[in-house]
Structure formats: structure tokens, C-alpha cells
Amino acid sequence: MRKRLLKYLACPACGGSLELSGVTASDGSHVLEGDLACASCRAQFPITRGIPRFAAVERLDADKAATAANFGWQWQHFTQEDQKYNDQFLGWIAPVTSEFFQDKIVLEGGCGKGRHTQLVAAWGAKEVIGADLSAAVETAFAATRHLDNAHVIQADIYQLPIKKEVDYAFSVGVLHHLPDAHRGFLSLAAKVKSGGHLSAWVYGAENNEWITRWVSPMRERLTSRINPRVLLHLSKLPTALVYLATKLVYRPLNRVAGGRVARYLFYNDYLLAISGFGWKEQHTIVFDHLVAPTAHYIPREEFEQWWRDIDATEVSIQWHNQNSWRGFGRV
Ligand SMILES: C[S@@+](CC[C@H](N)C(=O)[O-])C[C@H]1O[C@@H](n2cnc3c(N)ncnc32)[C@H](O)[C@@H]1O
């Protein structure tokens, strides 16, 4: 943890200021081992291996603990980086562009392995704070510790230990994995200062009926419950099907006749969007869809209501890849 982060932290229990104490290890840039104590309620939060820990995973509800365990494993295994993350991320947060981040205080709700935290730091944010509940923070910290403006914390999105001083908060692919997605959205929005901005990307209910009908029951009853190491191998079979289809059918067909034939293919927009990725990334995507204990598919109407609930203005809600919703607005 960089000491500068203290300025933006607040006790998740009472909102009080946090004080650093008991530092036993540091590397010149980061406090590696120490404690944070609330000046008001005296709650204590350890800093271990460079990361402030605000969520005691062993005290979580069972559904959140299972989600954290599975995603923690996922992001400690799939640590690869990919040039295409750049465009993929901008696709999830459009109309935000890379220039938008300049000099902003940014909060990421559910940073996973830190791939977007890294990009935001490189795009000139004043500070970017990536928060995640799971052990994915270990990967995120390793990936960002060399970046002077990047910070990683382990925290529950429902109880973010952050002051309401954020210029821009975003969450990509996280809210729909929460027991209550709407509550996560409200919690993230609550950290954005007046006049700041918010982005959220969630799975859509529309056009995903085949997933909710056929894939979700299998995910809930089987694939999210088995050992991730076993799932890693089992998921190679569906990955092989996706890989062959995207490389041999979707990509080539989208290149002929201006894509007029390809647009009749099943789930074309999404499969085309991932067709440029190699095996490892496609395996990550397939694994990601099978490992989550909880996944909600959110109808447009419900998503629109979320933005009304926070009285957001200048709201833009767009259908992305024909299977998901991306929203952006001023808070
Ligand atoms: C599908 S991953 C997406 C990660 C990242 N946004 C990305 O796109 O690379 C979902 C992430 O949400 C995190 N997560 C799940 N529940 C959470 C919670 N209650 N608070 C914070 N993060 C949570 C998981 O640990 C996981 O890293």
C-alpha cells in the first residue's frame, strides 16, 4: 500500500479516518506489512503482502465466499496479459475514451487480476484504486505495484472503504455476480462525488435466454461447485468448440460480403468480438462463464431503473455485443 492512498480511505464500518501503524515491512514505495486503525471506532484492518485487507473472507456469507473462492482461483491462474484488453475495455465502458481518465481519481469495483487498473493508470489517472473481494488482489497487486498511481485493496463492493471523493467509478463484469447486483451498483455510485461519473457493464437478460435456460442450471448445480482445477480441464472441451467456431467460421465469414451472411450466425456479435483472442484468453472466458456460483442476467428496464435510483443525469445505456448492457452517467 502506498501511503498516499490513506487520503482516500475511510473506515468501512463507520466512515472514520484511518491511521497507519505497526509497519513491520516496506519496500520503499509500499507498506508491505502493517495495520490500519480507524480513528473513530478503532476497527483494525491488516495490510499484508502490500494490500490493505478490509474483507475477512472467512466471515463472508456462503454465496459471497464461494464467489470469492472461485474467482480468486481463476485470477491467480489466468494471469496472462493481452494487447486486446485495451479495446475490449473501451468497448465495455463506451462512451468513455482513454483521454477521459486524465488526472481523475478512479475507483474500480471488482478489479480481478488488475488488467483494467493497469490501463487506467497508463491512461493518466491521478490515482486509480482497484478493489476486489477475492485473492485476485494478489495478482492485481503484482501487476500494478510498479505503477506510481495504482492502488489495490481487498474489499467487498457492498462496503467500500473509500471516501466520496471519486471522479469516476466503474465496474465491469462484477455486479451481475453479486447476490444483489442493484445493491452493489448503489454502493459503488455512493463513492462518486457530485458531478462525477459512473460506468457499469452487466450481462443482459435479452438474447441470453439460451444461457439462462441451459447453461445456468449446469453452472449452478455442477461447474461452479467442482474443484476449479478439475473445471480447468473440463472447460477445455467447450473452449475447443468456441475456439474452432470463432477461428474457422465466425471470423472468416464476417470478412466476406461485408458480414451480411455472418449476421445470421448464432450469437454472432459476441463470438466475433472474442474471435481475435488466442486459446488462453478464450479458455479464460469459457472458464469465467462456468465458475461463477452466482450470475444474474439483467433486463434493460431494470438496468435503466438503477440509474434513475441514483438520480444520474446524461445517462447513456447501450446494448453491447447483442448480449449485455453498458451504462454511463453523471452522478
Ligand atoms: C468476472 S470477474 C471480472 C474482473 C474484472 N472486472 C475484469 O473484467 O477483469 C468478477 C470479479 O468480481 C469480484 N467480486 C465478486 N464479488 C465481489 C464483491 N462482493 N466485492 C468485490 N469484488 C467482488 C471477483 O472476485 C472477481 O474478481
Side-chain angles (χ1 to χ4, degrees), residues 96-219:
V96 170
T97 60
S98 54
E99 293 77 28
F100 175 86
F101 291 91
Q102 196 64 43
D103 296 327
K104 289 197 164 59
I105 307 295
V106 180
L107 171 63
E108 175 173 14
C111 65
K113 63 178 171 178
R115 56 182 174 164
H116 303 141
T117 318
Q118 270 178 288
L119 287 170
V120 172
W123 290 337
K126 184 172 175 200
E127 312 287 355
V128 52
I129 305 165
D132 201 284
L133 183 60
S134 75
V137 290
E138 309 292 338
T139 307
F141 179 66
T144 57
R145 65 185 293 176
H146 63 290
L147 299 167
D148 189 49
N149 52 349
H151 311 269
V152 172
I153 62 175
Q154 188 167 20
D156 187 345
I157 201 167
Y158 289 166
Q159 278 193 296
L160 289 163
I162 302 289
K163 291 182 184 158
K164 192 181 170 65
E165 291 181 9
V166 169
D167 295 309
Y168 174 61
F170 69 93
S171 186
V172 163
V174 176
L175 301 174
H176 47 233
H177 292 307
L178 301 174
D180 181 344
H182 179 229
R183 188 174 153 207
F185 178 82
L186 296 180
S187 176
L188 190 64
K191 301 303 171 189
V192 179
K193 69 184 187 193
S194 178
H197 292 89
L198 176 69
S199 284
W201 174 78
V202 294
Y203 294 157
E206 298 84 351
N207 210 23
N208 279 327
E209 294 81 3
W210 68 277
I211 295 186
T212 45
R213 185 154 185 198
W214 302 109
V215 182
S216 294
M218 191 181 61
R219 176 181 51 70

Side-chain angles (χ1 to χ4, degrees), residues 306-318:
W306 292 7
W307 296 86
R308 285 195 289 276
D309 290 343
I310 59 166
D311 293 325
T313 58
E314 301 163 32
V315 176
S316 149
I317 293 178
Q318 295 172 343

Side-chain angles (χ1 to χ4, degrees), residues 16-91:
S17 304
L18 296 179
E19 290 165 354
L20 182 62
S21 64
V23 176
T24 55
S26 59
D27 68 0
S29 319
H30 295 91
V31 173
L32 297 176
E33 304 290 328
D35 284 302
L36 292 167
C38 175
S40 303
C41 73
R42 306 312 308 169
Q44 296 246 358
F45 307 96
I47 302 166
T48 52
R49 295 184 295 285
I51 305 166
R53 315 281 176 164
F54 296 97
V57 176
E58 60 284 358
R59 287 206 298 273
L60 291 174
D61 295 342
D63 49 359
K64 273 205 226 166
T67 296
N70 284 8
F71 279 121
W73 192 90
Q74 173 176 325
W75 295 127
Q76 288 183 286
H77 177 81
F78 292 103
T79 56
Q80 78 280 3
E81 299 190 2
D82 196 302
Q83 292 288 328
K84 295 189 181 64
Y85 288 161
N86 192 324
D87 290 343
Q88 187 188 42
F89 178 43
L90 289 173

